[in-house]
mmCIF file of all heavy atoms in Angstrom:
data_model
loop_
_atom_site.group_PDB
_atom_site.id
_atom_site.type_symbol
_atom_site.label_atom_id
_atom_site.label_comp_id
_atom_site.label_asym_id
_atom_site.label_seq_id
_atom_site.Cartn_x
_atom_site.Cartn_y
_atom_site.Cartn_z
ATOM 1 N N ALA A 112 63.633 18.311 -65.836
ATOM 2 C CA ALA A 112 63.234 16.978 -66.323
ATOM 3 C C ALA A 112 63.642 16.793 -67.783
ATOM 4 O O ALA A 112 64.116 15.727 -68.177
ATOM 5 C CB ALA A 112 61.726 16.781 -66.158
ATOM 6 N N LEU A 113 63.469 17.849 -68.588
ATOM 7 C CA LEU A 113 63.833 17.738 -70.007
ATOM 8 C C LEU A 113 65.347 17.580 -70.177
ATOM 9 O O LEU A 113 65.801 16.978 -71.144
ATOM 10 C CB LEU A 113 63.347 18.964 -70.797
ATOM 11 C CG LEU A 113 61.838 19.104 -70.972
ATOM 12 C CD1 LEU A 113 61.508 20.301 -71.856
ATOM 13 C CD2 LEU A 113 61.234 17.834 -71.555
ATOM 14 N N LYS A 114 66.114 18.136 -69.258
ATOM 15 C CA LYS A 114 67.576 17.984 -69.316
ATOM 16 C C LYS A 114 68.002 16.585 -68.914
ATOM 17 O O LYS A 114 68.960 16.028 -69.430
ATOM 18 C CB LYS A 114 68.234 18.988 -68.349
ATOM 19 C CG LYS A 114 68.303 20.396 -68.877
ATOM 20 C CD LYS A 114 69.502 21.136 -68.263
ATOM 21 C CE LYS A 114 69.570 22.557 -68.787
ATOM 22 N NZ LYS A 114 68.495 23.392 -68.184
ATOM 23 N N THR A 115 67.304 16.011 -67.925
ATOM 24 C CA THR A 115 67.766 14.783 -67.276
ATOM 25 C C THR A 115 67.252 13.514 -67.946
ATOM 26 O O THR A 115 67.927 12.494 -67.932
ATOM 27 C CB THR A 115 67.319 14.803 -65.795
ATOM 28 O OG1 THR A 115 67.778 16.012 -65.205
ATOM 29 C CG2 THR A 115 67.884 13.626 -65.020
ATOM 30 N N PHE A 116 66.049 13.577 -68.518
ATOM 31 C CA PHE A 116 65.394 12.354 -68.999
ATOM 32 C C PHE A 116 65.354 12.284 -70.527
ATOM 33 O O PHE A 116 65.521 13.292 -71.214
ATOM 34 C CB PHE A 116 63.968 12.282 -68.432
ATOM 35 C CG PHE A 116 63.947 12.016 -66.946
ATOM 36 C CD1 PHE A 116 63.904 13.067 -66.038
ATOM 37 C CD2 PHE A 116 64.011 10.715 -66.459
ATOM 38 C CE1 PHE A 116 63.911 12.822 -64.670
ATOM 39 C CE2 PHE A 116 64.014 10.463 -65.095
ATOM 40 C CZ PHE A 116 63.962 11.520 -64.195
ATOM 41 N N ASP A 117 65.105 11.066 -71.020
ATOM 42 C CA ASP A 117 64.976 10.822 -72.460
ATOM 43 C C ASP A 117 63.545 10.499 -72.856
ATOM 44 O O ASP A 117 63.176 10.640 -74.022
ATOM 45 C CB ASP A 117 65.885 9.655 -72.864
ATOM 46 C CG ASP A 117 67.327 9.932 -72.518
ATOM 47 O OD1 ASP A 117 67.939 10.778 -73.195
ATOM 48 O OD2 ASP A 117 67.839 9.347 -71.537
ATOM 49 N N VAL A 118 62.768 9.988 -71.905
ATOM 50 C CA VAL A 118 61.365 9.642 -72.140
ATOM 51 C C VAL A 118 60.580 10.038 -70.895
ATOM 52 O O VAL A 118 61.050 9.811 -69.778
ATOM 53 C CB VAL A 118 61.199 8.112 -72.371
ATOM 54 C CG1 VAL A 118 59.728 7.751 -72.556
ATOM 55 C CG2 VAL A 118 62.016 7.634 -73.563
ATOM 56 N N ILE A 119 59.411 10.641 -71.079
ATOM 57 C CA ILE A 119 58.529 10.961 -69.953
ATOM 58 C C ILE A 119 57.349 9.987 -70.011
ATOM 59 O O ILE A 119 56.545 10.034 -70.941
ATOM 60 C CB ILE A 119 57.982 12.419 -70.036
ATOM 61 C CG1 ILE A 119 59.105 13.428 -70.282
ATOM 62 C CG2 ILE A 119 57.155 12.755 -68.780
ATOM 63 C CD1 ILE A 119 59.982 13.737 -69.110
ATOM 64 N N GLU A 120 57.267 9.081 -69.025
ATOM 65 C CA GLU A 120 56.212 8.055 -69.056
ATOM 66 C C GLU A 120 54.948 8.476 -68.312
ATOM 67 O O GLU A 120 53.968 7.745 -68.304
ATOM 68 C CB GLU A 120 56.725 6.741 -68.432
ATOM 69 C CG GLU A 120 57.772 6.025 -69.246
ATOM 70 C CD GLU A 120 57.831 4.533 -68.957
ATOM 71 O OE1 GLU A 120 56.846 3.971 -68.424
ATOM 72 O OE2 GLU A 120 58.879 3.933 -69.248
ATOM 73 N N SER A 121 54.992 9.632 -67.669
ATOM 74 C CA SER A 121 53.945 9.970 -66.706
ATOM 75 C C SER A 121 53.179 11.234 -67.061
ATOM 76 O O SER A 121 52.909 12.068 -66.207
ATOM 77 C CB SER A 121 54.586 10.105 -65.319
ATOM 78 O OG SER A 121 55.771 10.906 -65.395
ATOM 79 N N VAL A 122 52.817 11.374 -68.329
ATOM 80 C CA VAL A 122 51.964 12.512 -68.722
ATOM 81 C C VAL A 122 50.539 12.160 -68.306
ATOM 82 O O VAL A 122 49.919 11.258 -68.861
ATOM 83 C CB VAL A 122 52.058 12.789 -70.241
ATOM 84 C CG1 VAL A 122 51.106 13.914 -70.627
ATOM 85 C CG2 VAL A 122 53.489 13.140 -70.617
ATOM 86 N N ASP A 123 50.070 12.846 -67.268
ATOM 87 C CA ASP A 123 48.864 12.379 -66.576
ATOM 88 C C ASP A 123 47.758 13.433 -66.479
ATOM 89 O O ASP A 123 46.727 13.198 -65.851
ATOM 90 C CB ASP A 123 49.231 11.906 -65.163
ATOM 91 C CG ASP A 123 49.923 12.993 -64.341
ATOM 92 O OD1 ASP A 123 50.009 14.159 -64.805
ATOM 93 O OD2 ASP A 123 50.392 12.681 -63.236
ATOM 94 N N ARG A 124 47.965 14.617 -67.095
ATOM 95 C CA ARG A 124 46.929 15.654 -67.023
ATOM 96 C C ARG A 124 47.182 16.712 -68.085
ATOM 97 O O ARG A 124 48.317 16.877 -68.551
ATOM 98 C CB ARG A 124 46.890 16.280 -65.628
ATOM 99 C CG ARG A 124 48.190 16.950 -65.199
ATOM 100 C CD ARG A 124 48.257 17.160 -63.675
ATOM 101 N NE ARG A 124 49.374 18.026 -63.320
ATOM 102 C CZ ARG A 124 50.640 17.633 -63.221
ATOM 103 N NH1 ARG A 124 50.982 16.373 -63.479
ATOM 104 N NH2 ARG A 124 51.585 18.496 -62.895
ATOM 105 N N GLU A 125 46.101 17.433 -68.431
ATOM 106 C CA GLU A 125 46.179 18.396 -69.531
ATOM 107 C C GLU A 125 47.171 19.526 -69.242
ATOM 108 O O GLU A 125 47.945 19.917 -70.109
ATOM 109 C CB GLU A 125 44.779 18.968 -69.826
ATOM 110 C CG GLU A 125 44.799 19.942 -70.991
ATOM 111 C CD GLU A 125 43.398 20.399 -71.400
ATOM 112 O OE1 GLU A 125 42.423 19.680 -71.111
ATOM 113 O OE2 GLU A 125 43.300 21.477 -72.005
ATOM 114 N N LYS A 126 47.137 20.018 -68.012
ATOM 115 C CA LYS A 126 48.018 21.136 -67.664
ATOM 116 C C LYS A 126 49.491 20.762 -67.906
ATOM 117 O O LYS A 126 50.275 21.558 -68.428
ATOM 118 C CB LYS A 126 47.790 21.513 -66.194
ATOM 119 C CG LYS A 126 48.597 22.710 -65.748
ATOM 120 C CD LYS A 126 48.453 22.961 -64.247
ATOM 121 C CE LYS A 126 49.398 24.095 -63.821
ATOM 122 N NZ LYS A 126 49.631 24.093 -62.375
ATOM 123 N N LEU A 127 49.847 19.530 -67.517
ATOM 124 C CA LEU A 127 51.219 19.066 -67.713
ATOM 125 C C LEU A 127 51.527 18.911 -69.201
ATOM 126 O O LEU A 127 52.602 19.309 -69.665
ATOM 127 C CB LEU A 127 51.438 17.735 -66.978
ATOM 128 C CG LEU A 127 52.807 17.077 -67.205
ATOM 129 C CD1 LEU A 127 53.943 17.945 -66.691
ATOM 130 C CD2 LEU A 127 52.864 15.698 -66.531
ATOM 131 N N ALA A 128 50.616 18.334 -69.944
ATOM 132 C CA ALA A 128 50.840 18.134 -71.383
ATOM 133 C C ALA A 128 51.086 19.476 -72.083
ATOM 134 O O ALA A 128 52.003 19.607 -72.902
ATOM 135 C CB ALA A 128 49.644 17.411 -72.000
ATOM 136 N N ARG A 129 50.273 20.471 -71.727
ATOM 137 C CA ARG A 129 50.429 21.792 -72.345
ATOM 138 C C ARG A 129 51.771 22.432 -71.963
ATOM 139 O O ARG A 129 52.486 22.996 -72.806
ATOM 140 C CB ARG A 129 49.282 22.727 -71.922
ATOM 141 C CG ARG A 129 47.952 22.342 -72.549
ATOM 142 C CD ARG A 129 46.864 23.393 -72.292
ATOM 143 N NE ARG A 129 45.612 22.977 -72.897
ATOM 144 C CZ ARG A 129 45.308 23.103 -74.188
ATOM 145 N NH1 ARG A 129 46.170 23.665 -75.016
ATOM 146 N NH2 ARG A 129 44.147 22.673 -74.656
ATOM 147 N N ALA A 130 52.122 22.332 -70.689
ATOM 148 C CA ALA A 130 53.373 22.939 -70.225
ATOM 149 C C ALA A 130 54.584 22.219 -70.827
ATOM 150 O O ALA A 130 55.588 22.856 -71.179
ATOM 151 C CB ALA A 130 53.425 22.908 -68.701
ATOM 152 N N LEU A 131 54.490 20.900 -70.961
ATOM 153 C CA LEU A 131 55.581 20.135 -71.577
ATOM 154 C C LEU A 131 55.779 20.545 -73.031
ATOM 155 O O LEU A 131 56.915 20.766 -73.482
ATOM 156 C CB LEU A 131 55.255 18.637 -71.533
ATOM 157 C CG LEU A 131 55.765 17.806 -70.356
ATOM 158 C CD1 LEU A 131 55.178 16.395 -70.435
ATOM 159 C CD2 LEU A 131 57.298 17.748 -70.316
ATOM 160 N N ALA A 132 54.672 20.637 -73.759
ATOM 161 C CA ALA A 132 54.763 20.993 -75.181
ATOM 162 C C ALA A 132 55.415 22.360 -75.353
ATOM 163 O O ALA A 132 56.271 22.564 -76.226
ATOM 164 C CB ALA A 132 53.369 20.966 -75.805
ATOM 165 N N LYS A 133 55.032 23.293 -74.485
ATOM 166 C CA LYS A 133 55.555 24.646 -74.546
ATOM 167 C C LYS A 133 57.068 24.668 -74.267
ATOM 168 O O LYS A 133 57.846 25.286 -74.995
ATOM 169 C CB LYS A 133 54.815 25.492 -73.501
ATOM 170 C CG LYS A 133 54.905 26.976 -73.707
ATOM 171 C CD LYS A 133 53.948 27.690 -72.752
ATOM 172 C CE LYS A 133 54.355 29.149 -72.615
ATOM 173 N NZ LYS A 133 53.654 29.788 -71.500
ATOM 174 N N GLU A 134 57.461 23.960 -73.218
ATOM 175 C CA GLU A 134 58.876 23.957 -72.829
ATOM 176 C C GLU A 134 59.730 23.179 -73.838
ATOM 177 O O GLU A 134 60.866 23.556 -74.127
ATOM 178 C CB GLU A 134 59.026 23.368 -71.416
ATOM 179 C CG GLU A 134 60.402 23.532 -70.796
ATOM 180 C CD GLU A 134 60.801 25.002 -70.592
ATOM 181 O OE1 GLU A 134 59.903 25.864 -70.481
ATOM 182 O OE2 GLU A 134 62.022 25.279 -70.556
#
Side-chain angles (χ1 to χ4, degrees):
L113 291 184
K114 282 208 180 73
T115 306
F116 290 93
D117 302 288
V118 178
I119 310 285
E120 291 204 20
S121 47
V122 177
D123 57 7
R124 60 198 191 280
E125 182 174 337
K126 183 186 174 198
L127 175 63
R129 289 188 181 280
L131 267 173
K133 198 171 161 192
E134 190 63 25

